[in-house]
Amino acid sequence: MAESLTLDKPRSPKRPAARRSNFELYSWLFMRISGMALVILVLGHLLIMNILDGGVHRINWGFVAGRWASPFWQFWDLLMLWLAEIHGGNGLRVIIDDYARKDSTRFWLKIVLYVSMVLILAVGTMVIFTFDPNMPAN
C-alpha cells in the first residue's frame, strides 16, 4: 500500500487583506511638491517683507491693509498658510504613525491633529478674507 504524502494548507490570514490605496504615495508626492512650493513662497515672503522694502520696522496695520487689498497677496498668503499647515500636519501624521504604539493613542493623537489643523486653516482663511482695512487701528 502506497502512502500518499499530503501537505497541510498554508496558514491563511484570519482577516481579509486590506484594500490597497495610493494614499501614502499621494501623501509622499504632496510632501515633495508642497515643500518645493513652500521654499519659493516663504523665501519670497521673507525677501519682500524683510529686505526689499526697508525691513520689519515698517510692518504695521496700514502695511497689512495695503498688502491684503490686493487679491495677489491674499492668494499668496492663503497658499502659504494652506500648504504649510497641510505639509506640517502630514508630517506629524507620519510621526504619530511611527511612534504611537497603541492604536487608541494613535487614534486620539490624530483626532487632536486633524481638529487643530481644521481650526487653524478656518481661522487663518477667515482672517485673510474678512480683513477690514477700514477698521480703525488702536
Side-chain angles (χ1 to χ4, degrees), residues 69-87:
S70 165
F72 174 80
W73 290 116
Q74 282 183 326
F75 179 74
W76 182 289
D77 288 348
L78 184 71
L79 187 61
M80 197 166 44
L81 168 72
W82 275 76
L83 284 178
E85 184 66 33
I86 297 171
H87 182 94

mmCIF file of all heavy atoms in Angstrom, residues 69-87:
data_model
loop_
_atom_site.group_PDB
_atom_site.id
_atom_site.type_symbol
_atom_site.label_atom_id
_atom_site.label_comp_id
_atom_site.label_asym_id
_atom_site.label_seq_id
_atom_site.Cartn_x
_atom_site.Cartn_y
_atom_site.Cartn_z
ATOM 1 N N ALA A 69 -5.150 94.369 0.347
ATOM 2 C CA ALA A 69 -6.107 94.981 -0.577
ATOM 3 C C ALA A 69 -5.956 94.365 -1.966
ATOM 4 O O ALA A 69 -6.856 94.452 -2.786
ATOM 5 C CB ALA A 69 -5.896 96.488 -0.638
ATOM 6 N N SER A 70 -4.813 93.724 -2.207
ATOM 7 C CA SER A 70 -4.545 93.094 -3.489
ATOM 8 C C SER A 70 -4.894 91.610 -3.423
ATOM 9 O O SER A 70 -4.417 90.888 -2.546
ATOM 10 C CB SER A 70 -3.055 93.244 -3.825
ATOM 11 O OG SER A 70 -2.690 92.366 -4.868
ATOM 12 N N PRO A 71 -5.710 91.128 -4.372
ATOM 13 C CA PRO A 71 -6.012 89.690 -4.412
ATOM 14 C C PRO A 71 -4.763 88.826 -4.597
ATOM 15 O O PRO A 71 -4.711 87.696 -4.126
ATOM 16 C CB PRO A 71 -6.953 89.545 -5.605
ATOM 17 C CG PRO A 71 -7.518 90.893 -5.830
ATOM 18 C CD PRO A 71 -6.483 91.869 -5.376
ATOM 19 N N PHE A 72 -3.741 89.363 -5.257
ATOM 20 C CA PHE A 72 -2.500 88.613 -5.431
ATOM 21 C C PHE A 72 -1.883 88.259 -4.091
ATOM 22 O O PHE A 72 -1.499 87.113 -3.861
ATOM 23 C CB PHE A 72 -1.499 89.420 -6.277
ATOM 24 C CG PHE A 72 -0.148 88.758 -6.371
ATOM 25 C CD1 PHE A 72 0.058 87.719 -7.260
ATOM 26 C CD2 PHE A 72 0.906 89.180 -5.575
ATOM 27 C CE1 PHE A 72 1.302 87.102 -7.350
ATOM 28 C CE2 PHE A 72 2.149 88.570 -5.652
ATOM 29 C CZ PHE A 72 2.349 87.529 -6.552
ATOM 30 N N TRP A 73 -1.783 89.244 -3.181
ATOM 31 C CA TRP A 73 -1.159 88.987 -1.879
ATOM 32 C C TRP A 73 -2.065 88.155 -0.982
ATOM 33 O O TRP A 73 -1.572 87.369 -0.159
ATOM 34 C CB TRP A 73 -0.758 90.292 -1.204
ATOM 35 C CG TRP A 73 0.388 90.933 -1.923
ATOM 36 C CD1 TRP A 73 0.366 92.134 -2.559
ATOM 37 C CD2 TRP A 73 1.695 90.387 -2.106
ATOM 38 N NE1 TRP A 73 1.588 92.374 -3.129
ATOM 39 C CE2 TRP A 73 2.434 91.318 -2.863
ATOM 40 C CE3 TRP A 73 2.317 89.210 -1.716
ATOM 41 C CZ2 TRP A 73 3.749 91.105 -3.223
ATOM 42 C CZ3 TRP A 73 3.639 88.990 -2.083
ATOM 43 C CH2 TRP A 73 4.341 89.933 -2.825
ATOM 44 N N GLN A 74 -3.365 88.314 -1.117
ATOM 45 C CA GLN A 74 -4.274 87.439 -0.375
ATOM 46 C C GLN A 74 -4.057 85.992 -0.797
ATOM 47 O O GLN A 74 -3.964 85.099 0.044
ATOM 48 C CB GLN A 74 -5.734 87.830 -0.624
ATOM 49 C CG GLN A 74 -6.203 89.025 0.132
ATOM 50 C CD GLN A 74 -7.670 89.298 -0.127
ATOM 51 O OE1 GLN A 74 -8.179 89.070 -1.224
ATOM 52 N NE2 GLN A 74 -8.354 89.786 0.886
ATOM 53 N N PHE A 75 -3.984 85.750 -2.108
ATOM 54 C CA PHE A 75 -3.774 84.401 -2.613
ATOM 55 C C PHE A 75 -2.404 83.868 -2.184
ATOM 56 O O PHE A 75 -2.275 82.708 -1.790
ATOM 57 C CB PHE A 75 -3.911 84.371 -4.138
ATOM 58 C CG PHE A 75 -3.673 83.010 -4.727
ATOM 59 C CD1 PHE A 75 -4.631 82.012 -4.589
ATOM 60 C CD2 PHE A 75 -2.496 82.724 -5.392
ATOM 61 C CE1 PHE A 75 -4.411 80.745 -5.121
ATOM 62 C CE2 PHE A 75 -2.276 81.466 -5.922
ATOM 63 C CZ PHE A 75 -3.238 80.484 -5.780
ATOM 64 N N TRP A 76 -1.361 84.703 -2.247
ATOM 65 C CA TRP A 76 -0.006 84.304 -1.844
ATOM 66 C C TRP A 76 -0.015 83.841 -0.386
ATOM 67 O O TRP A 76 0.479 82.756 -0.061
ATOM 68 C CB TRP A 76 0.947 85.483 -2.022
ATOM 69 C CG TRP A 76 2.384 85.201 -1.690
ATOM 70 C CD1 TRP A 76 2.923 84.991 -0.457
ATOM 71 C CD2 TRP A 76 3.466 85.100 -2.614
ATOM 72 N NE1 TRP A 76 4.262 84.777 -0.555
ATOM 73 C CE2 TRP A 76 4.625 84.843 -1.870
ATOM 74 C CE3 TRP A 76 3.549 85.226 -3.996
ATOM 75 C CZ2 TRP A 76 5.870 84.698 -2.468
ATOM 76 C CZ3 TRP A 76 4.803 85.084 -4.580
ATOM 77 C CH2 TRP A 76 5.945 84.820 -3.823
ATOM 78 N N ASP A 77 -0.573 84.676 0.492
ATOM 79 C CA ASP A 77 -0.595 84.335 1.922
ATOM 80 C C ASP A 77 -1.506 83.142 2.206
ATOM 81 O O ASP A 77 -1.187 82.310 3.060
ATOM 82 C CB ASP A 77 -1.019 85.547 2.750
ATOM 83 C CG ASP A 77 0.069 86.610 2.803
ATOM 84 O OD1 ASP A 77 1.216 86.318 2.407
ATOM 85 O OD2 ASP A 77 -0.222 87.737 3.232
ATOM 86 N N LEU A 78 -2.627 83.047 1.500
ATOM 87 C CA LEU A 78 -3.521 81.910 1.680
ATOM 88 C C LEU A 78 -2.849 80.615 1.237
ATOM 89 O O LEU A 78 -2.918 79.599 1.940
ATOM 90 C CB LEU A 78 -4.813 82.127 0.896
ATOM 91 C CG LEU A 78 -5.872 81.050 1.085
ATOM 92 C CD1 LEU A 78 -6.481 81.147 2.484
ATOM 93 C CD2 LEU A 78 -6.948 81.175 0.033
ATOM 94 N N LEU A 79 -2.189 80.637 0.094
ATOM 95 C CA LEU A 79 -1.480 79.456 -0.393
ATOM 96 C C LEU A 79 -0.374 79.051 0.570
ATOM 97 O O LEU A 79 -0.191 77.864 0.868
ATOM 98 C CB LEU A 79 -0.913 79.727 -1.790
ATOM 99 C CG LEU A 79 -0.294 78.557 -2.525
ATOM 100 C CD1 LEU A 79 -1.329 77.447 -2.746
ATOM 101 C CD2 LEU A 79 0.275 79.016 -3.860
ATOM 102 N N MET A 80 0.350 80.026 1.087
ATOM 103 C CA MET A 80 1.411 79.740 2.056
ATOM 104 C C MET A 80 0.825 79.118 3.326
ATOM 105 O O MET A 80 1.361 78.141 3.857
ATOM 106 C CB MET A 80 2.179 81.032 2.376
ATOM 107 C CG MET A 80 3.498 80.802 3.022
ATOM 108 S SD MET A 80 4.586 82.254 3.033
ATOM 109 C CE MET A 80 3.530 83.591 3.486
ATOM 110 N N LEU A 81 -0.279 79.663 3.826
ATOM 111 C CA LEU A 81 -0.936 79.124 5.016
ATOM 112 C C LEU A 81 -1.388 77.685 4.786
ATOM 113 O O LEU A 81 -1.079 76.796 5.592
ATOM 114 C CB LEU A 81 -2.142 79.993 5.396
ATOM 115 C CG LEU A 81 -3.101 79.408 6.431
ATOM 116 C CD1 LEU A 81 -2.452 79.415 7.808
ATOM 117 C CD2 LEU A 81 -4.413 80.153 6.435
ATOM 118 N N TRP A 82 -2.129 77.438 3.711
ATOM 119 C CA TRP A 82 -2.678 76.106 3.463
ATOM 120 C C TRP A 82 -1.588 75.072 3.216
ATOM 121 O O TRP A 82 -1.632 73.969 3.762
ATOM 122 C CB TRP A 82 -3.659 76.151 2.282
ATOM 123 C CG TRP A 82 -5.025 76.557 2.711
ATOM 124 C CD1 TRP A 82 -5.443 77.822 3.029
ATOM 125 C CD2 TRP A 82 -6.148 75.701 2.900
ATOM 126 N NE1 TRP A 82 -6.762 77.802 3.384
ATOM 127 C CE2 TRP A 82 -7.229 76.514 3.315
ATOM 128 C CE3 TRP A 82 -6.357 74.343 2.731
ATOM 129 C CZ2 TRP A 82 -8.481 76.005 3.585
ATOM 130 C CZ3 TRP A 82 -7.621 73.829 2.994
ATOM 131 C CH2 TRP A 82 -8.660 74.656 3.414
ATOM 132 N N LEU A 83 -0.601 75.414 2.383
ATOM 133 C CA LEU A 83 0.464 74.452 2.113
ATOM 134 C C LEU A 83 1.272 74.148 3.371
ATOM 135 O O LEU A 83 1.608 72.991 3.632
ATOM 136 C CB LEU A 83 1.380 74.962 1.002
ATOM 137 C CG LEU A 83 0.846 74.863 -0.414
ATOM 138 C CD1 LEU A 83 1.834 75.447 -1.409
ATOM 139 C CD2 LEU A 83 0.512 73.431 -0.783
ATOM 140 N N ALA A 84 1.599 75.181 4.156
ATOM 141 C CA ALA A 84 2.384 74.956 5.372
ATOM 142 C C ALA A 84 1.606 74.112 6.379
ATOM 143 O O ALA A 84 2.167 73.197 7.002
ATOM 144 C CB ALA A 84 2.786 76.297 5.994
ATOM 145 N N GLU A 85 0.326 74.393 6.537
ATOM 146 C CA GLU A 85 -0.478 73.645 7.511
ATOM 147 C C GLU A 85 -0.653 72.192 7.107
ATOM 148 O O GLU A 85 -0.486 71.277 7.923
ATOM 149 C CB GLU A 85 -1.840 74.311 7.680
ATOM 150 C CG GLU A 85 -2.698 73.680 8.732
ATOM 151 C CD GLU A 85 -2.143 73.826 10.140
ATOM 152 O OE1 GLU A 85 -1.500 74.850 10.419
ATOM 153 O OE2 GLU A 85 -2.352 72.919 10.959
ATOM 154 N N ILE A 86 -0.981 71.949 5.852
ATOM 155 C CA ILE A 86 -1.193 70.571 5.412
ATOM 156 C C ILE A 86 0.136 69.813 5.338
ATOM 157 O O ILE A 86 0.212 68.644 5.708
ATOM 158 C CB ILE A 86 -1.952 70.544 4.069
ATOM 159 C CG1 ILE A 86 -3.352 71.159 4.261
ATOM 160 C CG2 ILE A 86 -2.079 69.128 3.543
ATOM 161 C CD1 ILE A 86 -4.104 71.382 2.971
ATOM 162 N N HIS A 87 1.193 70.479 4.904
ATOM 163 C CA HIS A 87 2.517 69.862 4.857
ATOM 164 C C HIS A 87 2.970 69.459 6.273
ATOM 165 O O HIS A 87 3.403 68.324 6.490
ATOM 166 C CB HIS A 87 3.514 70.850 4.234
ATOM 167 C CG HIS A 87 4.901 70.335 4.075
ATOM 168 N ND1 HIS A 87 5.337 69.754 2.914
ATOM 169 C CD2 HIS A 87 5.952 70.317 4.922
ATOM 170 C CE1 HIS A 87 6.607 69.400 3.053
ATOM 171 N NE2 HIS A 87 7.003 69.731 4.265
#
